[in-house]
Amino acid sequence: MSQRRAVIAGTGSALPRTRVSNAELAQRVDTSDEWITERTGIKFRHIAEADETTATLGADAARKALEAAGIEANDIDLIVLATATPDNTFPASATKIQKMLGIRGCAAFDVAAVCSGFLYALSVAESMIRAGSASKALVIGSETFSRILDWEDRGTCVLFGDGAGAVVLAAEESERGVLATRLHADGEHGEMLYVDGGPSTTGTVGKLRMKGREVFRHAVVNLAEVMTETLEAAGVGADRVDWVVPHQANARIIDATVRKLGLPAEKVVVTVDQHANTSAASVPLALDVAVRDGRIQRGDLIVLEAMGGGFTWGAAVVRF
Ligand code: COA
């Protein structure tokens, strides 16, 4: 039945100019292409240069999403940016993006849920659209994790990359759009994936720390559960799903998660080989890749999912 829903009207993405292969990384870090590929499926990552920031990448992705949607920047009445690597502690980088796009007056704020940030941002924006307090929203995930990596820690620095992805959500009376979202968090596991600094503790930015093995174990369980829960909330069976667009952290996590749901690998969008883990940018970046190469078509049923530091995790079921 048609009802007011948040429909994805356009997608966009942006990557830093510099692309670094595993072999190039192995020249400055004690690692190898073989180790990284076998453990994670990652082959390349993009690393931001000094003039490329979370806000500039986010604004580039947003411009492309607006163009794809055929919507003028000035028609946007809400900007939600998911990021754990803002340009400044404040103001919110969403307001910098707003300025770069030449928009004034609309609501603009950041959401911090690390790798699941885009799911959190999407859920907030679509709720506001359904409630009638917004009608055209930019939901952006943008990160420059290269700036918070400890380049001496080979267990983490090889896993991440920089980038941005964005969607335009438009209110429509439609059977398409975001059908259901589910979000979760469990602060008990905060020490498994965190940054060891911050404005109110050390007064510094800090570096990323992770217990990789524990994160891996929790990710598979939490992601399979939240996908099942969200499909149930949307009232659709897993067999009806056309595409899964998962968080791109690790090819093995993706494989194990979709196998638990009994979904075939051909229905899964995988870009982790090209981009590594771009945190909050990973889901909208992978979505944009699959929309632009023609795999995801209007009317397809897609599932988005992610998990990250906190832990936080979530999923969304969308009729594209
Ligand atoms: N290159 C080469 N060797 C490395 C390495 C690297 N980049 N990083 C770690 N190693 C070594 C370790 O020192 C260790 O050596 P040892 O056995 O001699 O002590 C060995 O590889 C195994 O390390 P371990 O950490 O146990 O490997 P793993 O099989 O658990 O794989 C991860 C490590 C990080 C790839 C894996 O745990 C993972 O993907 N976890 C999830 C991380 C993630 O996706 N986080 C983000 C979620 S949002």
Side-chain angles (χ1 to χ4, degrees), residues 24-98:
E24 286 165 316
L25 200 58
Q27 288 168 10
R28 42 183 188 132
V29 178
D30 180 16
T31 189
S32 65
D33 175 38
E34 194 190 3
W35 191 95
I36 301 171
T37 305
E38 205 172 274
R39 295 291 211 294
T40 70
I42 295 165
K43 286 287 192 188
F44 300 94
R45 75 282 296 139
H46 289 249
I47 302 290
E49 291 181 28
D51 63 332
E52 295 169 315
T53 71
T54 290
T56 68
L57 292 167
D60 285 349
R63 276 187 205 99
K64 290 180 191 153
L66 285 166
E67 198 184 328
I71 286 174
E72 294 293 323
N74 273 312
D75 291 335
I76 292 295
D77 54 11
L78 172 68
I79 301 172
V80 188
L81 169 68
T83 190
T85 48
D87 283 22
N88 300 83
T89 302
F90 78 80
S93 296
T95 63
K96 281 186 85 169
I97 292 175
Q98 182 193 39

Side-chain angles (χ1 to χ4, degrees), residues 30-31 35 39-40 115 154-155 158-159 210 212-213 215-216 247 249-250 253 277 307-308:
D30 180 16
T31 189
W35 191 95
R39 295 291 211 294
T40 70
C115 295
R154 66 177 182 169
V158 304
L159 305 175
M210 179 172 70
R213 226 167 240 200
V215 174
F216 193 111
H247 174 43
N250 181 315
I253 295 179
N277 181 349
M307 157 154 157

Side-chain angles (χ1 to χ4, degrees), residues 38-185:
E38 205 172 274
R39 295 291 211 294
T40 70
I42 295 165
K43 286 287 192 188
F44 300 94
R45 75 282 296 139
H46 289 249
I47 302 290
E49 291 181 28
D51 63 332
E52 295 169 315
T53 71
T54 290
T56 68
L57 292 167
D60 285 349
R63 276 187 205 99
K64 290 180 191 153
L66 285 166
E67 198 184 328
I71 286 174
E72 294 293 323
N74 273 312
D75 291 335
I76 292 295
D77 54 11
L78 172 68
I79 301 172
V80 188
L81 169 68
T83 190
T85 48
D87 283 22
N88 300 83
T89 302
F90 78 80
S93 296
T95 63
K96 281 186 85 169
I97 292 175
Q98 182 193 39
K99 183 180 173 196
M100 288 170 186
L101 297 176
I103 306 171
R104 298 183 75 179
C106 80
F109 57 92
D110 292 1
V111 163
V114 207
C115 295
S116 46
F118 183 77
L119 272 303
Y120 270 70
L122 185 77
S123 183
V124 168
E126 81 91 16
S127 301
M128 288 177 71
I129 284 178
R130 268 191 300 108
S133 53
S135 61
K136 288 192 174 60
L138 266 171
V139 184
I140 307 162
S142 185
E143 302 275 19
T144 43
F145 258 49
S146 61
R147 309 247 158 86
I148 56 162
L149 294 174
D150 176 355
W151 289 96
E152 305 291 311
D153 176 12
R154 66 177 182 169
T156 57
C157 71
V158 304
L159 305 175
F160 295 89
D162 302 332
V167 302
V168 173
L169 292 183
E172 276 178 33
E173 297 289 327
S174 178
E175 287 170 23
R176 286 173 44 226
V178 180
L179 305 183
T181 63
R182 288 293 182 270
L183 303 175
H184 294 281

